[in-house]
Amino acid sequence: GQILGEGRDYLSTAWWISVLPGALIFLITLSMSILGDALRDRLEEGILKSVPLTAVIGDRSRRVPGTTNISFDYIEGEGFVIAMDLRGIACSTGAACSSGSLEPSHVLTAIGRREQARTSIRFSLGRFNTSEDIDDALQILPPVVEQLRSLSPHYKKSAIAV
């Protein structure tokens, strides 16, 4: 009886030792996902409120955590990415798998959203992003969009027509 009891205690301890790291990783990943979504949602809402002629691309409830794709009418994505990079904000015109490319999103192009593919920007938030990062981005982004739109002859025509 003594040996069985000791065996159970040992197995119980071994089981916890083997399960605990996985459970902790799951909980940490879940909490980072929730925090990433909260930061992403705050970034989206801030952009939509402060920058006219913007739209979130895709389903707002079923998507990858911490990632958003926003279309900014009357800007060229490449110029936006460069302008934001010069101000310390990383973003992309394409999917994560084409990171570093200035080409428009092949996914949006493939589904017939060629114009939005040229004006959409992907923002990806990670575990090291903070609320202060979102504040900084929301301070920097609107003047960048306005500057780029001021260079667009289409934006000026559209503003005059309204």
Side-chain angles (χ1 to χ4, degrees):
Q2 191 92 3
I3 294 174
L4 284 176
E6 288 176 8
R8 269 195 301 238
D9 290 342
Y10 171 75
L11 289 176
S12 177
T13 303
W15 182 83
W16 276 108
I17 290 171
S18 67
V19 170
L20 192 57
L24 286 174
I25 290 171
F26 171 76
L27 290 174
I28 291 168
T29 303
L30 179 64
S31 67
M32 287 185 338
S33 173
I34 291 167
L35 290 173
D37 286 350
L39 290 175
R40 179 208 53 216
D41 293 347
R42 195 164 148 249
L43 177 65
E44 284 179 353
E45 293 306 317
I47 290 172
L48 295 174
K49 286 179 184 173
S50 65
V51 182
L53 303 170
T54 57
V56 175
I57 306 294
D59 190 308
R60 293 190 71 182
S61 61
R62 296 178 303 174
R63 57 188 169 161
V64 175
T67 303
T68 186
N69 193 316
I70 300 178
S71 176
F72 296 87
D73 292 352
Y74 304 106
I75 68 155
E76 285 294 325
E78 297 87 0
F80 181 86
V81 169
I82 292 168
M84 293 298 282
D85 183 54
L86 290 172
R87 290 161 177 82
I89 306 291
C91 54
S92 172
T93 57
C97 57
S98 61
S99 181
S101 170
L102 292 178
E103 291 301 311
S105 167
H106 66 278
V107 174
L108 293 177
T109 302
I111 63 172
R113 292 186 160 185
R114 186 157 191 78
E115 189 56 40
Q116 284 182 321
R118 297 215 168 273
T119 65
S120 70
I121 304 296
R122 179 182 53 86
F123 297 92
S124 297
L125 304 173
R127 64 182 177 181
F128 297 113
N129 288 113
T130 65
S131 187
E132 290 78 24
D133 295 332
I134 302 304
D135 293 340
D136 291 345
L138 292 174
Q139 286 283 310
I140 292 167
L141 192 141
V144 168
V145 172
E146 191 54 41
Q147 178 188 18
L148 292 172
R149 284 180 175 166
S150 73
L151 302 172
S152 168
H154 301 292
Y155 180 65
K156 293 173 187 170
K157 288 179 188 175
S158 176
I160 294 170
V162 173

